[in-house]
Amino acid sequence: MGLTLELAHIYKAYGGQQVVTDCSFTFEPGGTYVIMGPNGCGKSTLLRIAALLEKPDQGEVKFLNGGNPIEPDINLKRRLTMVFPRVGVFNTTVAKNVAYGLQIRGVAKSEMQARVDSALELVRLTHKRTQRALTLSSGETMRLGLARGLAIEPDILFLDEPTTSIDVANTKIIEQVLRRISQDKKLTLIIVTHDAAQAARFSGRLLFMRDGNLVDHL
Ligand SMILES: Nc1ncnc2c1ncn2[C@@H]1O[C@H](COP(=O)(O)OP(=O)(O)OP(=O)(O)O)[C@@H](O)[C@H]1O
Ligand SMILES: [Mg+2]
């Protein structure tokens, strides 16, 4: 089975400003979680902490496999993937951008090819595979970021505002991909969004960040 992610009493402050306050939450394997909340309430910070990209001031980020705790080492970190709101690309082709994360994970060439192909197909960028990534539109770049995350086949995929400042057509493609993944339940999806209508379109647990903590959205 997949990974359980458990946040236990997480605190984080920046320069005296408390951003995350005693946040505890358990993300079950295969679940879909949508986190909403106003600008600056700490959503991205919490996501970075949960993805082990940043350390909390206090509290613990725990990962469990079938109830057994797992060391937060490099192997575990490779099972987590974050898609950032501003996707950074390398100055090479679209396909090579997707392949990069697999190369550093030592995935065999034939397997890599297959995963790149299917990820590009899923986000409908197959026809752009040899185009230089820096020449993609912003919507296409976001789709590339999603393809890159999916190709890694992580246990947990974190998405920070995957459709912000992206037009309707691109948003639709991204939502379709995410809904499909959500239904497969092969990985845990943790999505931060500003868009309440979008949040309602995912059949996941809706959460709200309030006073530095996650609460169920009513
Ligand atoms: N590395 C950092 N150094 C200093 N302050 C930070 C840092 N990261 C975040 N902050 C501050 O923490 C607060 C929460 O930021 P965060 O990006 O987590 O909010 P958010 O909910 O994601 O906001 P948005 O909806 O605008 O993306 C903000 O006031 C931000 O300026
Ligand atoms: Mg943010």
Side-chain angles (χ1 to χ4, degrees):
M1 251 324 262
L3 287 177
T4 300
L5 161 56
E6 205 177 304
L7 304 177
H9 305 288
I10 303 289
Y11 287 80
K12 184 78 190 183
Y14 295 110
Q17 177 202 3
Q18 199 65 43
V19 177
V20 182
T21 309
D22 196 20
C23 180
S24 297
F25 194 82
T26 301
F27 298 91
E28 302 290 351
T32 297
Y33 301 86
V34 184
I35 301 173
M36 287 175 284
N39 287 133
C41 74
K43 303 180 296 299
S44 298
T45 301
L46 188 67
L47 221 54
R48 286 195 303 272
I49 290 171
L52 299 177
L53 298 171
E54 192 167 339
K55 282 196 167 33
D57 297 334
Q58 283 181 63
E60 247 193 300
V61 182
K62 290 186 263 192
F63 292 87
L64 305 122
N65 204 342
N68 304 311
I70 304 177
E71 279 301 304
D73 59 10
I74 181 77
N75 289 318
L76 171 66
K77 286 181 185 172
R78 285 179 172 174
R79 297 169 70 180
L80 315 173
T81 297
M82 170 93 88
V83 178
F84 290 100
R86 284 175 290 273
V87 172
V89 298
F90 306 110
N91 186 16
T92 178
T93 66
V94 166
K96 282 184 180 159
N97 265 271
V98 177
Y100 180 74
L102 304 181
Q103 253 165 0
I104 60 171
R105 283 169 174 80
V107 174
K109 208 157 191 177
S110 57
E111 163 92 15
M112 186 157 78
Q113 205 64 53
R115 285 211 221 167
V116 170
D117 289 349
S118 76
L120 286 177
E121 197 184 320
L122 210 56
V123 302
R124 297 192 222 161
L125 282 179
T126 304
H127 61 299
K128 300 275 183 185
R129 59 176 303 134
T130 59
Q131 188 173 320
R132 276 176 55 226
L134 288 167
T135 62
L136 293 178
S137 74
S138 56
E140 289 164 348
T141 303
M142 199 65 225
R143 281 151 59 196
L144 167 60
L146 181 56
R148 196 153 60 183
L150 291 174
I152 289 166
E153 297 182 357
D155 286 67
I156 307 178
L157 184 63
F158 299 88
L159 298 126
D160 194 354
E161 315 256 12
T163 59
T164 293
S165 69
I166 283 177
D167 70 14
V168 178
N170 280 284
T171 297
K172 211 166 169 180
I173 293 173
I174 289 170
E175 281 189 16
Q176 273 171 359
V177 174
L178 293 178
R179 273 205 303 274
R180 200 155 133 189
I181 301 164
S182 170
Q183 281 157 8
D184 283 352
K185 297 191 191 304
K186 281 191 199 133
L187 53 82
T188 309
L189 272 181
I190 304 178
I191 307 166
V192 165
T193 181
H194 265 116
D195 185 343
Q198 171 173 72
R201 287 193 288 272
F202 291 113
S203 58
R205 184 152 166 200
L206 299 190
L207 301 166
F208 205 80
M209 204 160 170
R210 181 174 298 137
D211 302 328
N213 205 342
L214 288 177
V215 295
D216 275 299
H217 187 59
L218 301 175

